[in-house]
Amino acid sequence: MAEIKVPELAESITEGTIAQWLKKPGDYVEKGESICELETDKVNVEIMAEESGVLQQLLANEGDTVAVGQAIAIIGEGAAAAPSVAPQPADEPKPAAPVNQGEETAPQPVAAVQVSGQRPIASPAARKMAREKGIDLTQVPTADPLGRVRKQDVASFAAQTAAAPQPASQAAPASTPAAVPAAEAGKPVIREKMSRRRQTIAKRLLEVTQTTAMLTTFNEIDMSAVIDLRKRKKDKFFEEHDVRLGFMSFFVKAAVAALKKYPYVNAEIQGDEILLKKYYDIGVAVSTDEGLVVPVVRDCDRKSFAEIERDIAELAAKARSNKLSLADLQGGTFTITNGGVFGSLLSTPLLNGPQVGILGMHAIKLRPVAIDEERIENRPMMYVALSYDHRIIDGKEAVGFLKTVKDLIENPEDLLLES
């Protein structure tokens, strides 16, 4: 017999949450086969069996938080013993005895899952939704003859609970304050548990605001030249490279050129030292259903426009299908985020620590622009923002960095020469 333990994942990850068991007690597992999905601060990873055998016992349930090195299952040779899960408290009721084969009973609809306190039978998707919404699965009704709770049962129960007025005398849950704000009393609300990734995002963004001297400087870019160049070259570009030419590769290349000119924007503070990085691994923020992630495009100074566009497309696809590895997210030196894809006109991006600079792109809007003293033209304009850590970056450097990005985007021929 051998224990399956949570492996070392990354230096910054010390624990995770069991999101879903892929195997159940009694299943035969091959060496290297995935047995469960672990939700960490950054990505979801699958834990694999280190040897072949029968999964005899689960030492943690779905939704449990487990530490690196903690045993979560036992695997053994030969036939499995009676399948078991993580031990339950001694005072919990035992499962009902099975019906004898000779007895015949008419199937009855299940009004509720199981007796309160007993671990209910539920699909992984249902368990995940219940955790997020703070719902006790034992209270969820289901029409399944075997009492299994499905995702749609949880969704229906959540909607009914939110719509139904709560009795004034009902006691508040132990995890919430006893006093309910007057504005909330008798009003429909939904209480959701934050996912591990959302908790981590909240924690780290708060740390950034508390531990850095963050300032933001703004500028605007006339996108006419880049739009015209892209319009003329996009079909040929796609034919030759099998990837679409977007705006992000232009901004990545412009950022790299500006980082070379202003190296402290590509730095990091370590104690009382400044670490100047002479490589250019650019993080590109991607929005997913689970929250914002920042996969990293490596060696952007050495890559062509096509290679950068291809890397961005592949990383974005992996992010949205939850297939990013930890290596995809580590080691970035500077970040670019594009709120313009959601229609943002202007915003102040927060630093992606320990980096000291982040470039924010925004929506392209036609605005009247003074060409000279007599002419005004409608031009496609984009506001850009650079948030920076004022502890090592002075305003002159920040403004110069953003002005360099502006000049290169407005003159893409210069950008090609810089590359």
Side-chain angles (χ1 to χ4, degrees):
M1 296 179 56
E3 294 180 335
I4 298 176
K5 298 182 178 181
V6 179
E8 292 283 348
L9 300 170
E11 184 178 350
S12 61
I13 296 179
T14 59
E15 63 181 15
T17 300
I18 301 292
Q20 178 181 356
W21 282 105
L22 306 177
K23 297 291 182 179
K24 61 182 183 295
D27 288 350
Y28 184 81
V29 181
E30 292 285 353
K31 180 179 180 180
E33 190 174 2
S34 299
I35 65 164
C36 78
E37 184 179 356
L38 185 72
E39 182 184 359
T40 72
D41 296 346
K42 296 181 178 179
V43 294
N44 286 17
V45 295
E46 293 184 352
I47 296 180
M48 297 179 290
E50 297 183 357
E51 59 182 74
S52 301
V54 174
L55 188 60
Q56 296 190 343
Q57 186 178 7
L58 305 183
L59 303 179
N61 297 320
E62 292 178 355
D64 288 352
T65 297
V66 292
V68 169
Q70 179 179 334
I72 57 173
I74 295 176
I75 194 169
E77 299 178 354
S84 58
V85 296
Q88 303 291 333
D91 59 348
E92 289 195 1
K94 303 296 183 182
V99 179
N100 294 333
Q101 293 182 354
E103 298 180 3
E104 295 184 3
T105 57
Q108 298 293 328
V110 180
V113 181
Q114 293 185 24
V115 178
S116 178
Q118 185 174 329
R119 188 169 187 265
I121 305 170
S123 69
R127 290 187 183 280
K128 180 179 180 181
M129 179 177 287
R131 288 198 309 273
E132 293 173 349
K133 296 183 177 296
I135 292 175
D136 182 358
L137 282 173
T138 62
Q139 305 300 316
V140 180
T142 176
D144 187 279
L146 298 179
R148 293 172 296 194
V149 181
R150 301 160 299 172
K151 182 178 180 181
Q152 52 265 44
D153 296 327
V154 178
S156 176
F157 181 77
Q160 294 174 4
T161 304
Q166 299 296 325
S169 61
Q170 183 174 343
S175 60
T176 61
V180 178
E184 192 175 303
K187 303 292 185 180
V189 297
I190 297 177
R191 190 180 298 276
E192 294 187 358
K193 181 176 176 60
M194 294 173 68
S195 67
R196 174 171 290 276
R197 184 176 299 172
R198 177 55 61 185
Q199 292 178 46
T200 301
I201 291 172
K203 177 182 176 182
R204 292 185 177 174
L205 291 181
L206 183 61
E207 287 176 352
V208 164
T209 61
Q210 294 175 339
T211 60
T212 64
M214 194 182 79
L215 290 179
T216 304
T217 185
F218 302 93
N219 211 319
E220 61 179 353
I221 297 177
D222 184 345
M223 298 291 291
S224 301
V226 167
I227 290 174
D228 179 65
L229 177 60
R230 181 172 175 267
K231 187 179 298 183
R232 288 186 287 107
K233 299 294 185 180
K234 64 178 183 179
D235 293 336
K236 184 178 180 180
F237 187 89
F238 184 77
E239 291 174 4
E240 292 183 357
H241 304 291
D242 196 29
V243 66
R244 299 191 183 281
L245 178 61
F247 295 120
M248 186 59 77
S249 56
F250 288 92
F251 278 89
V252 169
K253 281 295 189 180
V256 169
L259 290 172
K260 290 180 178 179
K261 189 173 181 180
Y262 299 94
Y264 282 90
V265 186
N266 200 49
E268 177 182 330
I269 296 178
Q270 293 186 351
D272 59 354
E273 296 180 335
I274 297 174
L275 180 65
L276 293 169
K277 301 174 183 178
K278 307 307 290 185
Y279 58 95
Y280 306 92
D281 293 349
I282 307 299
V284 178
V286 177
S287 178
T288 71
D289 293 339
E290 297 293 328
L292 193 71
V293 292
V294 188
V296 179
V297 181
R298 310 288 174 182
D299 301 318
C300 292
D301 56 323
R302 304 177 185 177
K303 290 182 176 176
S304 66
F305 281 73
E307 290 172 321
I308 291 174
E309 290 288 359
R310 188 175 295 111
D311 285 355
I312 292 173
E314 291 174 356
L315 289 169
K318 289 171 68 176
R320 293 182 179 115
S321 60
N322 207 22
K323 299 297 183 183
L324 284 173
S325 67
L326 291 172
D328 293 327
L329 299 168
Q330 294 176 329
T333 64
F334 183 80
T335 294
I336 300 177
T337 181
N338 184 8
V341 296
F342 304 109
S344 172
L345 184 63
L346 189 63
S347 65
T348 302
L350 291 178
L351 292 172
N352 180 24
Q355 298 170 22
V356 295
I358 180 171
L359 176 66
M361 301 164 54
H362 298 92
I364 301 172
K365 297 290 185 181
L366 278 176
R367 292 200 294 272
V369 176
I371 306 302
D372 52 37
E373 293 182 354
E374 298 180 354
R375 291 184 301 154
I376 294 179
E377 293 182 5
N378 286 334
R379 295 289 183 91
M381 304 298 292
M382 174 193 286
Y383 288 122
V384 287
L386 175 73
S387 292
Y388 61 98
D389 193 338
H390 203 5
R391 291 180 297 170
I392 64 170
I393 302 172
D394 293 331
K396 179 181 178 181
E397 291 177 299
V399 172
F401 176 95
L402 205 55
K403 180 68 163 52
T404 299
V405 171
K406 168 185 170 67
D407 291 343
L408 289 172
I409 296 296
E410 291 183 343
N411 300 278
E413 294 84 0
D414 294 343
L415 184 59
L416 293 174
L417 293 176
E418 287 284 346
S419 301

